[in-house]
Amino acid sequence: MANRATYTSGIALPLLVGGLALLCWEMAVRVFHVPVVILPPPSRVMLEFFGPRFAELLQHAVPSGLQIASGFVFATVSGILLAVLMAYSVLLRAALQPYMIALQVIPKIALAPLFILWFGIGFSSRFAFATFICFFPVVIATLTGLRDTPTEVLRMCQAIGASEAQVMWRVRLPFALPYVFAGLKIAATMAVIGVVIGEFISADRGLGYLILYCASRSETPGVLAAIAVLCAIGLSLYGVVAWTEQRLLAAQRGER
Amino acid sequence: MVERADYVTLEGVSKIYNPGPAQVEAVSQLGFSVRSGEFVSILGPSGCGKSTLLMMVAGLETATTGAIHIAGERVERPRLQTGIIFQDPTLLPWKSVLDNVMFPVHIQGLDEAQHRARAMSLLQMVGLTDFAEKRPHQLSGGMKQRVAICRALVTDPDLLLMDEPFSALDAITRDELNVALLDIWQRHHKTGLFVTHSIREAVFLSDRVIVMGRRPSRIVADVRIDFSRPRDVHVQESPEFTRLCTQLRDAIESQHG
């Protein structure tokens, strides 16, 4: 019974609200005769996935998806590594932490054109830029988590003769997991933004490119369809992160 | 030379935080010794520096002046033959009860099979056999602290340091754990240093109670508790028990000026 209630409130309810919103949109557009160029009804956007546009969407989704995924993975691995190093070394932390925080707050999107200048207009510039904007949330979150281990637990480790490496891998990192995942969830959304911005600035394919291309030809349904695909990619990445987190935390709690 | 019978000795031990004009003297010129196999409680009000003292014996804090020796060796860092029970159980939430008890064994790379058997027998002694595969979040506060006791004993240390281990527990659980600790003590004869602010707890468990006054803390009383061992709960009902409690309370209150 409890499961059923969770199902109703957790899945059915949001679906219902989403469906109602789409319905309102559809009706409003039809009732007020909004031109398709301004705002096509959802049904019109849906048609894009069944016509010749579908192949086009797919063709542009592949490079975008690859860049998003690779930027995210690379930022995750390197970000966690740097955070571990910074948690180890007081010197490194003192030297780098102010810059990590500064870079976290500056509008990194403003730097996107520089990446095109440095890495060219191909895959590598968008991969590099996606990595760049994903990297800092991962470092900051992981570092915060690594430094949040309860003091008495660290004392206990010291008392039983644990080495710094043992404390890091067996105690600090497992304690930091919720923080790490909070960082990864931010990074997952940042990766999508990074790639789209890169494609907006200069690209000959990718969903960002397709959005601009369709917009320039006033093909608004194509724009919205491309946005829908981007949303799906972003949500999938977020879903993978959330799922992994659930699994790991469940394993920590001893549920399998 | 340290006398053979004296297992833990403290000589002129002070701890000063923030040396300088704003310095705080947590412990001042303390000296006492604990004999091998003796259970000594350090009793004092909160903030009297008794936990700091214990952490120095553990090698987790360094003394500003003076020296601490255990078994004739000067304490400069944590020693593996000292087991510590903290105020917080400090269990790792993602490990099972058994794996928490085995944690020092895994960290120190000791023999798995031999210590696993020991861990299970310790868990049995504190009545947690059925909980060996549970996680800490499935345990009550008292159970968690029992696991911490087992973890401190799994490597068979010769000295057990306890820093107000039961102070976060309710009175009933606390009494239960005192009995459990007494029971363990009677089976595994070790040297023990127990920090508490509970007079009854100190008298019930100890061979000797050292009373510390407020800052700058010094020893204001050193009282032998001569109840024979094995003891049981009923010792608390004897007139002698009440007399000792009163004597210790007077010693603490004499400090209040």
Side-chain angles (χ1 to χ4, degrees):
Chain A
M1 285 311 275
N3 265 340
R4 187 148 186 189
T6 323
Y7 176 81
T8 311
S9 56
I11 297 170
L13 210 59
L15 278 181
L16 186 71
V17 171
L20 275 175
L22 285 179
L23 196 67
C24 291
W25 173 1
E26 182 85 33
M27 301 224 301
V29 168
R30 284 172 191 272
V31 169
F32 299 110
H33 301 288
V34 181
V36 166
V37 176
I38 302 298
L39 187 66
S43 58
R44 176 69 191 77
V45 177
M46 199 87 94
L47 278 181
E48 295 290 291
F49 291 92
F50 298 99
R53 184 79 82 195
F54 182 64
E56 207 178 359
L57 282 168
L58 220 54
Q59 176 202 333
H60 289 284
V62 172
S64 297
L66 282 178
Q67 284 160 3
I68 290 167
S70 54
F72 171 77
V73 169
F74 191 71
T76 300
V77 174
S78 53
I80 292 176
L81 270 177
L82 181 67
V84 167
L85 289 178
M86 283 172 74
Y88 262 123
S89 161
V90 183
L91 214 65
L92 198 64
R93 193 164 65 242
L96 292 185
Q97 197 156 13
Y99 296 104
M100 290 294 140
I101 293 167
L103 281 164
Q104 171 89 310
V105 266
I106 63 161
K108 288 180 283 296
I109 287 169
L111 301 182
L114 286 176
F115 278 75
I116 310 288
L117 287 177
W118 295 335
F119 294 95
I121 57 163
F123 177 91
S124 52
S125 71
R126 288 182 295 279
F127 163 72
F129 186 63
T131 305
F132 172 70
I133 69 169
C134 288
F135 181 70
F136 300 100
V138 176
V139 177
I140 303 279
T142 308
L143 187 61
T144 309
L146 290 177
R147 306 206 2 100
D148 199 51
T149 316
T151 322
E152 274 209 316
V153 170
L154 293 177
R155 288 204 144 184
M156 179 274 291
C157 293
Q158 222 186 325
I160 63 170
S163 68
E164 288 220 28
Q166 284 176 323
V167 174
M168 179 62 71
W169 298 110
R170 298 188 185 204
V171 178
R172 281 188 192 268
L173 261 179
F175 260 114
L177 270 190
Y179 291 86
V180 175
F181 277 101
L184 293 190
K185 284 176 181 168
I186 299 172
T189 54
M190 293 300 236
V192 181
I193 296 173
V195 168
V196 173
I197 297 284
E199 288 170 347
F200 274 179
I201 294 173
S202 136
D204 50 9
R205 60 211 161 109
L207 290 166
Y209 163 79
L210 185 63
I211 289 170
L212 284 192
Y213 175 80
C214 290
S216 72
R217 295 167 47 125
S218 302
E219 291 172 6
T220 314
V223 172
L224 288 172
I227 291 173
V229 176
L230 268 177
C231 290
I233 293 175
L235 280 175
S236 312
L237 188 58
Y238 190 92
V240 169
V241 173
W243 180 81
T244 313
E245 180 185 28
Q246 289 283 313
R247 288 295 301 268
L248 274 176
L249 295 185
Q252 280 198 348
R253 283 194 303 270
E255 302 152 13
R256 292 190 205 280
Chain B
M1 270 312 286
V2 179
E3 275 185 62
R4 198 179 190 81
D6 284 340
Y7 204 68
V8 182
T9 59
L10 291 85
E11 293 159 287
V13 173
S14 306
K15 179 73 184 180
I16 296 166
Y17 290 109
N18 308 320
Q23 72 177 37
V24 178
E25 196 171 20
V27 174
S28 170
Q29 292 293 321
L30 272 181
F32 66 88
S33 54
V34 179
R35 293 208 325 274
S36 182
E38 199 176 24
F39 191 117
V40 174
S41 284
I42 314 268
L43 178 66
S46 312
C48 73
K50 55 193 192 300
S51 288
T52 308
L53 180 71
L54 198 77
M55 289 303 122
M56 289 192 285
V57 177
L60 292 168
E61 298 255 9
T62 49
T64 314
T65 70
I68 299 169
H69 288 84
I70 299 174
E73 271 185 54
R74 188 167 177 154
V75 177
E76 276 157 340
R77 64 186 70 81
R79 68 194 269 284
L80 298 183
Q81 305 93 298
T82 300
I84 307 176
I85 304 170
F86 296 90
Q87 190 169 346
D88 187 276
T90 65
L91 301 182
L92 303 178
W94 58 89
K95 284 186 184 289
S96 69
V97 163
L98 181 60
D99 284 343
N100 265 293
V101 174
M102 289 291 282
F103 189 58
V105 174
H106 293 148
I107 288 292
Q108 293 167 26
L110 304 174
D111 180 76
E112 171 84 18
Q114 180 200 335
H115 285 86
R116 180 170 287 263
R118 185 177 162 83
M120 285 310 295
S121 84
L122 284 165
L123 285 172
Q124 189 197 359
M125 200 160 59
V126 298
L128 288 178
T129 307
D130 294 341
F131 292 83
E133 293 309 320
K134 295 266 190 283
R135 303 288 153 135
H137 72 95
Q138 295 165 297
L139 269 53
S140 69
M143 288 167 148
K144 286 181 197 165
Q145 205 51 280
R146 284 168 201 250
V147 177
I149 295 173
C150 295
R151 184 183 57 197
L153 291 170
V154 73
T155 54
D156 199 18
D158 53 22
L159 172 67
L160 195 57
L161 304 177
M162 292 152 279
D163 184 15
E164 306 194 39
F166 310 138
S167 63
L169 304 173
D170 63 84
I172 295 170
T173 312
R174 188 174 185 145
D175 284 346
E176 275 172 20
L177 279 175
N178 279 331
V179 173
L181 183 61
L182 196 70
D183 194 37
I184 290 168
W185 198 257
Q186 274 144 198
R187 293 190 206 193
H188 302 253
H189 220 59
K190 304 199 178 297
T191 308
L193 205 50
F194 186 91
V195 162
T196 180
H197 55 244
S198 160
I199 295 171
R200 295 184 68 84
E201 191 172 75
V203 174
F204 179 57
L205 293 171
S206 316
D207 299 311
R208 221 172 106 205
V209 178
I210 292 174
V211 181
M212 277 171 75
R214 286 192 192 280
R215 270 182 191 163
S217 51
R218 25 186 109 252
I219 294 173
V220 297
D222 189 337
V223 180
R224 290 218 68 77
I225 312 291
D226 276 327
F227 297 115
S228 61
R229 290 183 188 271
R231 285 177 198 170
D232 63 30
V233 257
H234 300 294
V235 85
Q236 302 192 27
E237 292 146 21
S238 69
E240 177 65 3
F241 191 91
T242 311
R243 190 192 66 75
L244 283 164
C245 288
T246 311
Q247 182 188 347
L248 291 170
R249 182 166 296 116
D250 291 345
I252 294 171
E253 279 170 4
S254 70
Q255 286 298 297
H256 284 203

